[in-house]
Amino acid sequence: MITLTGKQWAKIHKQIAQEYPPSHLLIRDVMKRELGFLTRLHRDWDARTGYTNTIRLDFYDDAKETWFRLKYL
Protein backbone atom coordinates (compact mmCIF):
# COMPACT_ATOMS: atom_id res chain seq x y z
CA MET A 1 0.00 0.00 0.00
CA ILE A 2 1.18 3.49 -0.83
CA THR A 3 -0.28 6.53 0.92
CA LEU A 4 -0.35 9.83 -0.99
CA THR A 5 -1.62 13.32 -0.28
CA GLY A 6 -4.21 14.76 -2.60
CA LYS A 7 -1.59 16.98 -4.23
CA GLN A 8 0.78 14.06 -4.85
CA TRP A 9 -2.01 11.94 -6.31
CA ALA A 10 -3.18 14.77 -8.59
CA LYS A 11 0.29 14.98 -10.15
CA ILE A 12 0.57 11.20 -10.61
CA HIS A 13 -3.03 10.94 -11.87
CA LYS A 14 -2.28 13.55 -14.52
CA GLN A 15 0.78 11.60 -15.70
CA ILE A 16 -1.14 8.32 -15.86
CA ALA A 17 -3.99 10.02 -17.74
CA GLN A 18 -1.53 11.19 -20.40
CA GLU A 19 0.11 7.77 -20.77
CA TYR A 20 -2.92 5.46 -20.72
CA PRO A 21 -6.46 5.44 -22.14
CA PRO A 22 -9.19 6.87 -19.88
CA SER A 23 -10.53 3.38 -19.11
CA HIS A 24 -7.40 2.63 -17.06
CA LEU A 25 -8.43 5.21 -14.47
CA LEU A 26 -12.22 5.00 -14.75
CA ILE A 27 -12.87 1.25 -14.68
CA ARG A 28 -11.64 -0.41 -11.50
CA ASP A 29 -11.23 -3.87 -13.03
CA VAL A 30 -9.05 -2.44 -15.80
CA MET A 31 -7.05 -0.36 -13.31
CA LYS A 32 -6.37 -3.44 -11.20
CA ARG A 33 -5.47 -5.63 -14.19
CA GLU A 34 -3.34 -3.14 -16.15
CA LEU A 35 -1.84 -0.88 -13.47
CA GLY A 36 -1.82 -3.37 -10.61
CA PHE A 37 -3.61 -1.23 -8.02
CA LEU A 38 -6.91 0.21 -6.89
CA THR A 39 -7.39 3.61 -5.27
CA ARG A 40 -9.41 4.54 -2.22
CA LEU A 41 -9.99 7.73 -0.28
CA HIS A 42 -9.07 7.52 3.39
CA ARG A 43 -10.07 10.11 5.98
CA ASP A 44 -8.02 10.48 9.17
CA TRP A 45 -9.11 12.45 12.21
CA ASP A 46 -6.60 14.75 13.89
CA ALA A 47 -7.81 16.65 16.96
CA ARG A 48 -5.70 19.67 16.00
CA THR A 49 -6.52 19.97 12.31
CA GLY A 50 -9.73 17.99 11.85
CA TYR A 51 -10.15 15.55 9.00
CA THR A 52 -7.37 15.01 6.50
CA ASN A 53 -7.88 13.09 3.27
CA THR A 54 -5.27 10.80 1.80
CA ILE A 55 -5.31 8.54 -1.23
CA ARG A 56 -4.37 4.91 -0.65
CA LEU A 57 -3.12 2.76 -3.51
CA ASP A 58 -3.72 -0.91 -2.78
CA PHE A 59 -1.39 -3.03 -4.92
CA TYR A 60 -2.12 -6.61 -5.97
CA ASP A 61 1.13 -7.29 -7.82
CA ASP A 62 4.56 -6.75 -6.23
CA ALA A 63 6.29 -6.22 -9.57
CA LYS A 64 3.79 -3.53 -10.59
CA GLU A 65 4.16 -1.82 -7.22
CA THR A 66 7.95 -1.70 -7.67
CA TRP A 67 7.50 -0.34 -11.21
CA PHE A 68 5.08 2.32 -9.92
CA ARG A 69 7.52 3.43 -7.20
CA LEU A 70 10.40 3.71 -9.65
CA LYS A 71 8.39 5.57 -12.26
CA TYR A 72 6.22 7.97 -10.24
CA LEU A 73 7.76 8.43 -6.78
Side-chain angles (χ1 to χ4, degrees):
M1 178 181 67
I2 296 176
T3 303
L4 302 169
T5 65
K7 189 175 183 179
Q8 290 171 322
W9 174 240
K11 180 181 174 189
I12 292 170
H13 186 274
K14 185 177 178 180
Q15 281 183 275
I16 293 172
Q18 292 174 348
E19 297 171 6
Y20 294 96
S23 63
H24 282 60
L25 291 169
L26 296 174
I27 304 171
R28 293 179 64 79
D29 288 338
V30 175
M31 181 187 293
K32 184 177 177 182
R33 183 183 68 235
E34 299 297 326
L35 301 177
F37 66 88
L38 293 174
T39 60
R40 62 185 163 98
L41 178 64
H42 187 80
R43 293 182 73 180
D44 289 319
W45 171 255
D46 184 352
R48 291 178 290 132
T49 60
Y51 283 107
T52 57
N53 293 328
T54 56
I55 305 297
R56 305 284 171 102
L57 305 181
D58 296 318
F59 281 87
Y60 297 89
D61 184 333
D62 290 336
K64 288 183 180 181
E65 180 177 3
T66 301
W67 170 84
F68 181 90
R69 288 179 184 275
L70 291 171
K71 187 168 184 172
Y72 296 110
L73 300 180

